[in-house]
Amino acid sequence: MKRQIVKLAALGSIAAGLIFAQAQTQPQAGQTQNQTAPKAQAMHKGNRRMAGHRRMMEALNLTADQKATAKSLFEQARETAKPARAELRQNRAAMAVAVKANDKAQIDRLSAERGKLMAKISAGRGEAMAKFYQALTPAQRAKADQMQARFQARMRQLREHRGVRTNG
C-alpha cells in the first residue's frame, strides 16, 4: 500500500512538473520580453492548457471549421470534468485533514479516490483529444505527431535533468 501511495505522489509531482514546464517558455530569437508578455499573462491567469491548445492550433494552421470543432470539444470536456474537479478539491482538503490527524486508513482511501478522479478527468481530456485528432487532415496529423514527439523529448530531458528515472 505504501508503494502505491509513493507512486501516486510521484505521479502527482510529475504532473505538476509538466504543468510548470509548459509555462516556462523562452522568447525566440529576435523577440523581446514585451512581445512574449501576452502569452505569459494568459498562462499566469491559469489558462496554461488553453494557451497550449492555442499554440497547437496556430502551428497546425486549422480551418475555421476545425477551430470551431476543437473549441466545442475542449469546452465540452472541461464542462464534463467540472464535477470531478470539484470532488478533487474536496479530496485535497480531506487529505490535508487526514495527514494532520495521521489517519493512515483515511489517507489510503483518499489516495485511491484521488486516483479514480484523476483518471476520470484524464479520460475526458483524452477522448476530446482523440476526437480532435480525427478532425485533422493527414498533413496536420503528421505535424501534430511531430509536436507531440518534441514535447515528449523535452519532458524526458527535464526528468533526466531532475534525476527522475524514465522507463522509455
Side-chain angles (χ1 to χ4, degrees):
M1 188 55 81
K2 286 183 182 180
R3 191 173 208 172
Q4 288 176 334
I5 292 172
V6 170
K7 284 181 182 180
L8 278 173
L11 181 62
S13 298
I14 290 171
L18 291 174
I19 290 170
F20 290 121
Q22 286 179 338
Q24 297 176 354
T25 59
Q26 295 181 357
Q28 295 177 353
Q31 280 187 330
T32 64
Q33 279 293 50
N34 292 339
Q35 291 172 323
T36 60
K39 278 186 186 177
Q41 288 173 350
M43 288 182 197
H44 179 71
K45 292 180 181 178
N47 294 326
R48 288 184 199 100
R49 188 173 309 279
M50 288 305 296
H53 285 176
R54 254 183 248 112
R55 281 193 305 272
M56 177 181 59
M57 289 181 193
E58 288 171 9
L60 293 176
N61 196 23
L62 300 179
T63 65
D65 287 342
Q66 287 175 318
K67 287 179 185 178
T69 299
K71 184 176 180 180
S72 172
L73 288 170
F74 295 130
E75 283 179 359
Q76 184 180 8
R78 203 169 25 261
E79 287 299 315
T80 303
K82 270 187 180 179
R85 286 195 322 264
E87 287 182 55
L88 200 52
R89 278 191 293 279
Q90 293 172 349
N91 179 285
R92 281 192 295 267
M95 179 66 82
V97 171
V99 166
K100 289 176 184 176
N102 195 23
D103 185 347
K104 293 177 181 157
Q106 183 74 345
I107 291 171
D108 289 345
R109 186 187 68 74
L110 290 168
S111 294
E113 182 182 317
R114 177 184 168 88
K116 290 176 186 174
L117 291 169
M118 296 288 286
K120 190 175 187 179
I121 292 169
S122 180
R125 287 181 186 149
E127 289 170 12
M129 281 302 294
K131 289 176 184 174
F132 172 70
Y133 189 80
Q134 296 307 309
L136 298 177
T137 65
Q140 290 170 327
R141 287 181 187 175
K143 177 76 173 175
D145 292 342
Q146 284 178 333
M147 292 169 67
Q148 182 181 19
R150 282 195 310 262
F151 176 77
Q152 288 175 345
R154 284 194 313 263
M155 291 302 103
R156 229 181 343 271
Q157 286 177 336
L158 181 64
R159 284 190 299 265
E160 289 170 2
H161 176 72
R162 290 184 177 172
V164 176
R165 273 194 305 189
T166 60
N167 291 333

